Structure formats: C-alpha cells, structure tokens
Amino acid sequence: MRTKIIAGNWKMYKTPAESLAFLDAYLPAVAGHTADELLLFPSDTSLSAVLKKIEGTNVHAGAQTMHWAKEGAYTGQTSATMLKAIGATHVLLGHSEQRAYQNETYESVHLKIKAAFEVGLKPMVCVGELLDERQAGVTKDTLLSQLGAAFTGLSAENLGDLSIAYEPVWAIGTGLTASPEQANEAHGIIRNELRVMFGDAVADSMRILYGGSVKPNNSATLLALPEVDGLLIGGASLDPKSLATIVASRL
Ligand code: PGA
C-alpha cells in the first residue's frame, strides 16, 4: 500500500500573513489525519513563516521550484541548499506553468532532481500533455518523452523520495478534470514506464498523484482510483475549508 499525498499548490497567491491565517484554520481541521501525507507549496516569501508554523504538525511544506546550482550568479533564483536550510522538505519541479512561462524543460528538471537529492529534498515532478497532444493521440508519447528526459540516468536508490504528479495541462485551472478512465490510463502508462526504467520495486512504491481542477466534489472519486496515489490541488487549496474537505473526503 502506497501512502497517498494530498498537496496544495498555492502558486502566486497569499502573503505571509494570509498564509498564516490559512494555517490557523487548516491545521486544526486536519490535526490527527495520519492516513495520508499532507503537503503545501507556498510562495517563496511565505515559505519560512509556513515552515515555522507547521513545525511538529502533520503538515509538510516545500517550494514551487528551485535552481539546480548550489549557489552562483543566478539573479532571482533559490537553491536546494537554501530551501533545505530553512527546513523545507519538498520541492515541486516541472509544473506546467513553469514550463509555459519560465522556460522550464525536462533537461533542467533532471538537473534539479539531482540537486534536490544531494541535500535530501523530496522532489515532486509534474508531467502531463497539452490539449493538442491529447487530441492528436500522442498523450503516451508525450509522457514517455517527459519521463525519459527527467529520469534517464537517475539511480534507482533515491527514487523512493520522489513522487510524480500527472497533470494534464488542459485540466489545470479550467474546471475540466480527467475522467477516471483517462487518469487511470495515464497513471498506468507512467507506472509501466517506471517499471521499464527502474524495475518493479521503484514502480510499485512511487506515488503518482493526479492534478487538474481537483475540487471537494470530485476528490473522493479520484482518490478511490487504484492508480491514483494522491492529489495536487491548485485553486481549491487556497481555501482552508475546501482543502480540509478534500483531505476528509479520503476517510
Ligand atoms: P488547479 O491547479 O487545481 O487549479 O487546476 C492544479 C495545479 O496547477 O497544480
């Protein structure tokens, strides 16, 4: 049995004060929920405050991206070492908005995974096809090429700390959700490719989350799918009640 992960991606929302107000409502609402791993990805300016506030609770937090270098002349960037130093445990990599607007590629994601492992940060790597790719019938090819670029050459040893979020780009922030069949099929493709690349132990233990317009009214159905090991939630994670309802929908 793989422990599921329920993660909120706050994108470019919430000041530190707003983040703390969220936690004032969210932490008591999910206290005692140990069946799943609970995770938040706040913006960099809120991350320190969030990490302090969640100390000793069942909620963990990480950054929405990072640079692969340890340090250097990279204006505007944050390194894995810096994230680790403030107590972050996780980092989201390869989100489609980073790919679309910040020129993130799976070659850079590959370097970032290695940098995260070096300091003991747990990467969550996003993959997923565009609407055009789904309509052209190349969803599988797209996923395989993303996984190949991100993971080829990684050692199977560290991979227990890595999770994958399958996020069909056409479902992000659009109100469209992959059907249970579409999600199960894509997750199956990903898990099968992990089996080919790294063997049964990695493929059977790695958590593959679904993301894309997850809401309190569809979370239970998605979480019940055998191939879905958790959820990465954007819009619906901004409201503590709605995220806590999603967490509770799993019980
Ligand atoms: P959404 O975002 O839940 O608002 O669709 C998901 C994501 O971008 O991770």
mmCIF file of all heavy atoms in Angstrom, residues 9 11 95 97 167 171-173 212-214 232-235, ligand 1:
data_model
loop_
_atom_site.group_PDB
_atom_site.id
_atom_site.type_symbol
_atom_site.label_atom_id
_atom_site.label_comp_id
_atom_site.label_asym_id
_atom_site.label_seq_id
_atom_site.Cartn_x
_atom_site.Cartn_y
_atom_site.Cartn_z
ATOM 1 N N ASN A 9 -0.929 23.449 -4.058
ATOM 2 C CA ASN A 9 -0.001 24.313 -4.786
ATOM 3 C C ASN A 9 -0.614 25.709 -4.805
ATOM 4 O O ASN A 9 -1.580 25.950 -5.514
ATOM 5 C CB ASN A 9 0.181 23.761 -6.207
ATOM 6 C CG ASN A 9 0.938 24.713 -7.111
ATOM 7 O OD1 ASN A 9 1.574 25.658 -6.637
ATOM 8 N ND2 ASN A 9 0.870 24.481 -8.412
ATOM 9 N N LYS A 11 0.639 28.481 -5.856
ATOM 10 C CA LYS A 11 1.036 29.342 -6.985
ATOM 11 C C LYS A 11 1.414 30.740 -6.467
ATOM 12 O O LYS A 11 1.974 30.846 -5.387
ATOM 13 C CB LYS A 11 -0.091 29.395 -8.028
ATOM 14 C CG LYS A 11 -0.571 27.980 -8.392
ATOM 15 C CD LYS A 11 -1.452 27.912 -9.589
ATOM 16 C CE LYS A 11 -1.812 26.437 -9.852
ATOM 17 N NZ LYS A 11 -2.424 26.227 -11.133
ATOM 18 N N HIS A 95 6.418 22.063 -13.046
ATOM 19 C CA HIS A 95 4.993 22.411 -13.169
ATOM 20 C C HIS A 95 4.734 23.029 -14.548
ATOM 21 O O HIS A 95 5.575 23.759 -15.076
ATOM 22 C CB HIS A 95 4.582 23.378 -12.055
ATOM 23 C CG HIS A 95 3.101 23.580 -12.013
ATOM 24 N ND1 HIS A 95 2.464 24.456 -12.855
ATOM 25 C CD2 HIS A 95 2.148 22.977 -11.284
ATOM 26 C CE1 HIS A 95 1.155 24.395 -12.621
ATOM 27 N NE2 HIS A 95 0.940 23.498 -11.669
ATOM 28 N N GLU A 97 3.084 25.485 -15.506
ATOM 29 C CA GLU A 97 3.192 26.954 -15.592
ATOM 30 C C GLU A 97 4.661 27.390 -15.636
ATOM 31 O O GLU A 97 4.994 28.391 -16.260
ATOM 32 C CB GLU A 97 2.425 27.607 -14.427
ATOM 33 C CG GLU A 97 0.919 27.492 -14.666
ATOM 34 C CD GLU A 97 0.061 27.393 -13.422
ATOM 35 O OE1 GLU A 97 0.540 27.709 -12.316
ATOM 36 O OE2 GLU A 97 -1.109 26.972 -13.555
ATOM 37 N N GLU A 167 -0.448 15.834 -14.389
ATOM 38 C CA GLU A 167 -1.339 16.985 -14.517
ATOM 39 C C GLU A 167 -1.577 17.275 -15.996
ATOM 40 O O GLU A 167 -0.779 17.976 -16.635
ATOM 41 C CB GLU A 167 -0.717 18.219 -13.851
ATOM 42 C CG GLU A 167 -0.543 18.071 -12.353
ATOM 43 C CD GLU A 167 -0.572 19.432 -11.650
ATOM 44 O OE1 GLU A 167 0.086 20.369 -12.119
ATOM 45 O OE2 GLU A 167 -1.281 19.527 -10.645
ATOM 46 N N ALA A 171 -6.432 20.404 -18.041
ATOM 47 C CA ALA A 171 -7.311 20.307 -16.869
ATOM 48 C C ALA A 171 -6.924 21.296 -15.774
ATOM 49 O O ALA A 171 -7.638 21.443 -14.791
ATOM 50 C CB ALA A 171 -7.273 18.887 -16.308
ATOM 51 N N ILE A 172 -5.793 21.998 -15.945
ATOM 52 C CA ILE A 172 -5.308 22.878 -14.878
ATOM 53 C C ILE A 172 -6.027 24.218 -14.914
ATOM 54 O O ILE A 172 -5.950 24.945 -15.904
ATOM 55 C CB ILE A 172 -3.782 23.091 -14.987
ATOM 56 C CG1 ILE A 172 -3.072 21.750 -14.767
ATOM 57 C CG2 ILE A 172 -3.311 24.121 -13.962
ATOM 58 C CD1 ILE A 172 -1.570 21.823 -14.900
ATOM 59 N N GLY A 173 -6.757 24.499 -13.846
ATOM 60 C CA GLY A 173 -7.433 25.785 -13.704
ATOM 61 C C GLY A 173 -8.577 25.988 -14.684
ATOM 62 O O GLY A 173 -9.075 27.104 -14.829
ATOM 63 N N GLY A 212 -5.278 18.762 -11.501
ATOM 64 C CA GLY A 212 -6.023 19.407 -12.593
ATOM 65 C C GLY A 212 -7.485 19.535 -12.199
ATOM 66 O O GLY A 212 -8.228 18.559 -12.295
ATOM 67 N N SER A 213 -7.861 20.739 -11.708
ATOM 68 C CA SER A 213 -9.243 21.016 -11.313
ATOM 69 C C SER A 213 -9.803 20.025 -10.297
ATOM 70 O O SER A 213 -10.969 19.618 -10.397
ATOM 71 C CB SER A 213 -10.146 21.117 -12.546
ATOM 72 O OG SER A 213 -9.729 22.205 -13.365
ATOM 73 N N VAL A 214 -8.975 19.635 -9.332
ATOM 74 C CA VAL A 214 -9.481 18.818 -8.224
ATOM 75 C C VAL A 214 -10.265 19.732 -7.296
ATOM 76 O O VAL A 214 -9.797 20.816 -6.936
ATOM 77 C CB VAL A 214 -8.330 18.148 -7.439
ATOM 78 C CG1 VAL A 214 -8.880 17.419 -6.219
ATOM 79 C CG2 VAL A 214 -7.548 17.193 -8.329
ATOM 80 N N LEU A 232 -2.684 16.735 -6.358
ATOM 81 C CA LEU A 232 -2.010 18.034 -6.324
ATOM 82 C C LEU A 232 -3.076 19.061 -6.695
ATOM 83 O O LEU A 232 -3.636 19.016 -7.798
ATOM 84 C CB LEU A 232 -0.830 18.068 -7.297
ATOM 85 C CG LEU A 232 -0.061 19.397 -7.368
ATOM 86 C CD1 LEU A 232 0.501 19.795 -6.007
ATOM 87 C CD2 LEU A 232 1.079 19.308 -8.387
ATOM 88 N N ILE A 233 -3.351 19.962 -5.760
ATOM 89 C CA ILE A 233 -4.533 20.819 -5.872
ATOM 90 C C ILE A 233 -4.119 22.281 -5.928
ATOM 91 O O ILE A 233 -3.389 22.753 -5.053
ATOM 92 C CB ILE A 233 -5.450 20.592 -4.649
ATOM 93 C CG1 ILE A 233 -5.794 19.108 -4.527
ATOM 94 C CG2 ILE A 233 -6.718 21.426 -4.759
ATOM 95 C CD1 ILE A 233 -5.807 18.616 -3.099
ATOM 96 N N GLY A 234 -4.565 22.994 -6.944
ATOM 97 C CA GLY A 234 -4.257 24.412 -7.071
ATOM 98 C C GLY A 234 -5.363 25.255 -6.443
ATOM 99 O O GLY A 234 -5.407 25.452 -5.227
ATOM 100 N N GLY A 235 -6.284 25.727 -7.282
ATOM 101 C CA GLY A 235 -7.334 26.651 -6.843
ATOM 102 C C GLY A 235 -8.037 26.247 -5.549
ATOM 103 O O GLY A 235 -8.204 27.069 -4.638
HETATM 104 P P1 PGA B 1 -5.902 23.533 -10.330
HETATM 105 O O1 PGA B 1 -4.289 23.554 -10.392
HETATM 106 O O2 PGA B 1 -6.268 22.581 -9.210
HETATM 107 O O3 PGA B 1 -6.283 24.956 -10.015
HETATM 108 O O4 PGA B 1 -6.374 23.055 -11.638
HETATM 109 C C1 PGA B 1 -3.534 22.380 -10.261
HETATM 110 C C2 PGA B 1 -2.074 22.688 -10.397
HETATM 111 O O5 PGA B 1 -1.722 23.582 -11.174
HETATM 112 O O6 PGA B 1 -1.227 22.042 -9.736
#
